[in-house]
Amino acid sequence: MTTFVDRVELHAAAGNGGHGCASVHREKFKPLGGPDGGNGGRGGDVILVVEQSVTTLLDYHHSPHRKATNGQPGAGDNRSGKDGQDLVLPVPDGTVVLDKAGNVLADLVGQGTTFVAGQGGRGGLGNAALASARRKAPGFALLGEPGESRDIVLELKTVADVALVGYPSAGKSSLISVLSAAKPKIADYPFTTLVPNLGVVTAGSTVYTIADVPGLIPGASQGKGLGLEFLRHVERCSVLVHVLDTATLESDRDPVSDLDMIEEELRLYGGLENRPRIVALNKVDIPDGQDLADMIRPDLEARGYRVFEVSAIAHKGLKELSFALAGIIAEARATKPKEEATRIVIRPRAVDDAGFTVTLEDDGIYRVRGEKPERWVRQTDFNNDEAVGYLADRLNRLGVEDSLMKAGARAGDGVAIGPEENAVVFDWEPTVTAGAEMLGRRGEDHRLEEPRPAAQRRRERDAERDDAEKEYDEFDPF
Ligand SMILES: Nc1nc2c(ncn2[C@@H]2O[C@H](COP(=O)(O)OP(=O)(O)OP(=O)(O)O)[C@@H](O)[C@H]2O)c(=O)[nH]1
Ligand SMILES: [Mg+2]
């Protein structure tokens, strides 16, 4: 069976950052070489880009797992690891990106529109970059961050000016084939069309696109037949054409009740109330069809529809129909703000870059959340005591320890850094265990110092931050 693919799940995995390298310079007769471990390379991003020549999401249906390459680890002799390569995935114009819960993350319209589906991990700093006046030969390096891994859903909404809607076999594909150069499959069995066909029509000075939607049947809006999948494509059209079969052989159908059924499905689907519609009574080359058309025309016009009698087979009434559509579209275009040709969509990044929060959870654990603390934890090699000490220093300097103290944490309490699903949990050992009000940073005792205003303390603390810290925080490979 043919699978209709206008909705795929994509597992995008960005590349991991390469680990930094801890290495000491070696040279003959020079026993005390400095640290020379290079930085890890950045992991590649996974990027979706609208490519006009791509018309389906089929590729992603066949291979939904896509991964960008990892950054290379740093090496001795101050050699940085190579960055991973970005993975650029071409998608059709009109692709909508959603998360698995169905929230729209981006609407990709226009050649070149870009969406970063997964951000590559930062590379870890090597021990050369971590060296400072205070820490001359660090025996550790930072780990590369894992690349972002996300499951997203891609949906294709055809961006056509006109949508042809109607029962199976009403002649929608036949009409496209004679109005445009498109050559869709046409046959006398229902559900011939499984993917929308798109054609380009030129009427006078107006050029527009026309799409047929696979046949609709009662219950389509609830997913019966192939309907629901395809109603999505109708959403962006400027005008709907009801293609009604005046010569159906099914005795329980006639064009007017067909129209009522389609309208009911559109209503249940929702959001299309204000879209202009016209009626094309098709197959009037058949005498009975012409008779029926003549009979119901006044009825349809009384309802406010402009009615066109056409025959896809005999090429009748096509010019009138295509020029009428051109008129409606020209008007719609004149009133609608023009869609920008290229928009770059950058996924919003966490905004709390500077801050962090400490909350006491029901289970008595203090949870620390924040971009920096969480990132620092990811970068830490917990098998290396020096690296763990470095992490503790950084957290302390950011004020995490003070905040824990203020929140009521005591030595031995559980502290978790990170989100529930993925946190590092440890028993808290405050660096200084005097009374809370006496706490300061390592090697400092407030009891021996004059009280100073907070602003001054902050300035002093900033001044104290050593070079490596500064460099680190300014180190932003993106
Ligand atoms: N006599 C006559 N037959 C037509 C006309 N238009 C289409 N047909 C026939 O009707 C049948 C269905 O045509 P399609 O164009 O495949 O119909 P459709 O609406 O696209 O059908 P689905 O894709 O199944 O929804 C085919 O056998 C066509 O040859 C017409 O104007 N006159
Ligand atoms: Mg068809």
Side-chain angles (χ1 to χ4, degrees):
M1 205 193 115
T2 320
T3 339
F4 176 70
V5 180
D6 72 342
R7 188 174 196 281
V8 293
E9 232 175 72
L10 179 71
H11 311 282
N16 300 327
H19 297 327
C21 169
S23 151
V24 176
H25 184 69
R26 276 167 210 267
E27 212 174 308
K28 249 185 187 171
F29 312 120
K30 276 198 189 167
L32 291 175
D36 70 349
N39 303 334
R42 185 183 74 86
D45 294 340
V46 178
I47 303 172
L48 307 181
V49 179
V50 170
E51 180 53 63
Q52 226 95 51
S53 61
V54 175
T55 52
T56 91
L57 295 168
L58 205 64
D59 275 1
Y60 306 113
H61 176 70
H62 293 315
S63 43
H65 293 269
R66 300 299 178 110
K67 188 170 184 339
T69 52
N70 296 332
Q72 296 292 312
D77 208 11
N78 290 308
R79 277 169 301 167
S80 295
K82 249 176 80 178
D83 288 346
Q85 243 181 358
D86 291 343
L87 180 65
V88 176
L89 302 176
V91 295
D93 202 353
T95 299
V96 180
V97 186
L98 306 114
D99 63 15
K100 287 189 84 176
N103 304 309
V104 175
L105 302 176
D107 208 345
L108 307 180
V109 179
Q111 172 79 23
T113 302
T114 298
F115 176 77
V116 178
Q119 217 154 44
R122 299 177 193 221
L125 291 190
N127 68 338
L130 291 166
S132 66
R134 195 156 56 88
R135 199 187 315 102
K136 289 207 167 54
F140 69 101
L142 296 184
L143 299 180
E145 277 196 278
E148 192 180 15
S149 181
R150 281 211 298 180
D151 290 344
I152 53 176
V153 173
L154 303 181
E155 268 183 18
L156 181 55
K157 290 192 186 186
T158 309
V159 188
D161 298 299
V162 180
L164 304 182
V165 296
Y167 258 80
S169 296
K172 301 177 294 298
S173 302
S174 302
L175 273 175
I176 290 211
S177 75
V178 291
L179 286 169
S180 74
K183 290 289 158 266
K185 185 173 171 189
I186 294 163
D188 59 357
Y189 54 83
F191 299 120
T192 307
T193 301
L194 295 169
V195 290
N197 301 300
L198 206 58
V200 180
V201 182
T202 309
S205 59
T206 309
V207 178
Y208 60 90
T209 50
I210 184 165
D212 73 344
V213 176
L216 296 173
I217 56 168
S221 61
Q222 262 81 58
K224 283 235 183 79
L226 297 164
L228 189 65
E229 299 276 306
F230 307 109
L231 280 168
R232 265 206 291 279
H233 296 277
V234 179
E235 280 176 29
R236 290 173 192 256
C237 298
S238 308
V239 50
L240 303 178
V241 178
H242 281 292
V243 180
L244 301 176
D245 188 344
T246 58
T248 176
L249 297 172
E250 292 173 46
S251 55
D252 57 342
R253 279 178 47 199
D254 69 81
V256 178
S257 63
D258 283 4
L259 177 105
D260 289 339
M261 188 288 291
I262 302 283
E263 275 299 328
E264 177 63 4
E265 293 305 324
L266 294 176
R267 190 185 66 75
L268 290 172
Y269 185 74
L272 299 163
E273 296 75 20
N274 301 325
R275 213 60 52 89
R277 302 120 147 85
I278 63 176
V279 166
L281 294 169
N282 190 30
K283 308 195 186 178
V284 295
D285 54 292
I286 298 174
D288 285 351
Q290 180 66 63
D291 292 347
L292 189 56
D294 291 339
M295 204 169 84
I296 57 176
R297 177 188 263 278
D299 188 8
L300 294 170
E301 282 174 345
R303 293 199 199 184
Y305 289 108
R306 282 171 76 186
V307 179
F308 295 85
E309 290 174 15
V310 297
S311 165
I313 294 277
H315 292 220
K316 205 178 154 236
L318 301 177
K319 206 166 178 188
E320 289 82 352
L321 178 64
S322 74
F323 274 84
L325 289 171
I328 298 173
I329 288 152
E331 198 178 310
R333 285 180 186 162
T335 52
K336 208 162 64 185
K338 204 166 156 46
E339 204 114 46
E340 242 174 86
T342 300
R343 277 183 297 163
I344 308 293
V345 180
I346 302 292
R347 201 174 53 77
R349 294 182 63 185
V351 286
D352 65 339
D353 197 42
F356 66 92
T357 57
V358 173
T359 42
L360 176 57
E361 315 241 301
D362 295 341
D363 51 7
I365 287 198
Y366 292 85
R367 186 173 301 281
V368 178
R369 297 298 314 268
E371 227 269 313
K372 275 185 183 166
E374 288 177 32
R375 173 171 14 112
W376 292 345
V377 162
R378 286 196 295 273
Q379 291 172 324
T380 300
D381 173 4
F382 284 92
N383 294 319
N384 183 317
D385 290 343
E386 212 182 325
V388 175
Y390 177 67
L391 171 68
D393 280 354
R394 292 173 113 181
L395 292 173
N396 189 13
R397 221 171 294 124
L398 187 67
V400 172
E401 204 152 275
D402 292 352
S403 298
L404 280 168
M405 194 64 77
K406 279 204 199 86
R410 292 283 168 269
D413 284 346
V415 169
I417 299 183
E420 217 154 316
E421 330 78 70
N422 185 20
V424 171
V425 185
F426 50 90
D427 290 338
W428 190 39
E429 275 176 60
T431 359
V432 183
T433 43
E437 68 289 352
M438 291 304 157
L439 272 165
R441 273 148 296 123
R442 209 180 287 206
E444 221 180 68
D445 191 332
H446 288 181
R447 287 167 294 190
L448 306 176
E449 292 172 25
E450 293 291 310
R452 289 155 301 160
Q456 189 190 339
R457 283 207 305 273
R458 201 173 313 121
R459 266 199 306 281
E460 285 172 9
R461 189 164 69 190
D462 288 350
E464 208 179 276
R465 288 164 52 120
D466 63 41
D467 299 344
E469 251 52 86
K470 282 233 175 75
E471 184 185 333
Y472 182 81
D473 286 339
E474 281 152 21
F475 175 77
D476 187 352
F478 297 114

